[in-house]
Amino acid sequence: MAFSHDALRLGRCGGVAAQHLQDAFHLPALNTSVGKARRRVVTMLREWGVDSRCQADAELVVSELFTNAVRHTDSVKICCDLQIVGARLRLEVTDQGCAEDEPRAKVTDCDEEGGRGLLLVGALADEWGVRPDETGRGQVVWAYLSYGRNGG
């Protein structure tokens, strides 16, 4: 469920606004869904007033995680959740499983076409990791990115 930027003004606890900004969506596990996921994430972050640096980082992270889920699993759909948690953005991309192994960053030769995605995720994220999904078949790859507010 997507909330507007106005949700930041909802709920105060000890003078600190409780931030309940969250969005979740799923797309078919197709190459064309990668661009749709990027656009959806950037649109939501703009609406929430997240700074442009974090938007760009989130766009790249979601692109890499969606691409990996499409290429390396037999998923029918890929799910994405994003949520503001304190001063950080939490991104999760969930596949339906049957990946060859757990996602991990690896060093590749300069001439190789792929294989650098999770290295980029690791460089951009405050932290990231992998856990099983609720079914135990798929995987959730998550990342936290620090963000600032536009105009303030």
Side-chain angles (χ1 to χ4, degrees), residues 32-67:
T32 55
S33 294
V34 175
K36 292 176 184 177
R38 280 193 309 257
R39 287 186 294 278
R40 170 85 176 241
V41 167
V42 169
T43 297
M44 291 311 305
L45 296 180
R46 279 187 190 135
E47 183 177 322
W48 295 347
V50 171
D51 67 282
S52 57
R53 179 202 47 82
C54 184
Q55 288 176 34
D57 290 352
E59 182 177 24
L60 181 56
V61 168
V62 165
S63 180
E64 294 299 337
L65 298 183
F66 248 80
T67 298

Side-chain angles (χ1 to χ4, degrees), residues 9-85:
R9 291 190 283 254
L10 298 176
R12 295 206 169 263
C13 180
V16 177
Q19 299 180 3
H20 300 288
L21 298 175
Q22 183 174 346
D23 186 37
F25 61 93
H26 66 269
L27 295 168
L30 303 170
N31 288 330
T32 55
S33 294
V34 175
K36 292 176 184 177
R38 280 193 309 257
R39 287 186 294 278
R40 170 85 176 241
V41 167
V42 169
T43 297
M44 291 311 305
L45 296 180
R46 279 187 190 135
E47 183 177 322
W48 295 347
V50 171
D51 67 282
S52 57
R53 179 202 47 82
C54 184
Q55 288 176 34
D57 290 352
E59 182 177 24
L60 181 56
V61 168
V62 165
S63 180
E64 294 299 337
L65 298 183
F66 248 80
T67 298
N68 285 348
V70 168
R71 288 187 182 168
H72 302 295
T73 73
D74 68 353
S75 300
V76 173
K77 68 178 181 177
I78 309 296
C79 300
C80 183
D81 293 287
L82 52 152
Q83 179 179 14
I84 298 295
V85 179

Side-chain angles (χ1 to χ4, degrees), residues 88-117:
R88 299 195 301 174
L89 169 67
R90 180 178 175 91
L91 295 167
E92 290 187 350
V93 174
T94 306
D95 63 56
Q96 294 175 307
C98 287
E100 294 174 17
D101 55 14
E102 184 174 299
R104 64 179 53 89
K106 65 178 182 176
V107 178
T108 59
D109 292 331
C110 332
D111 298 337
E112 289 186 53
E113 186 174 312
R116 294 177 192 85

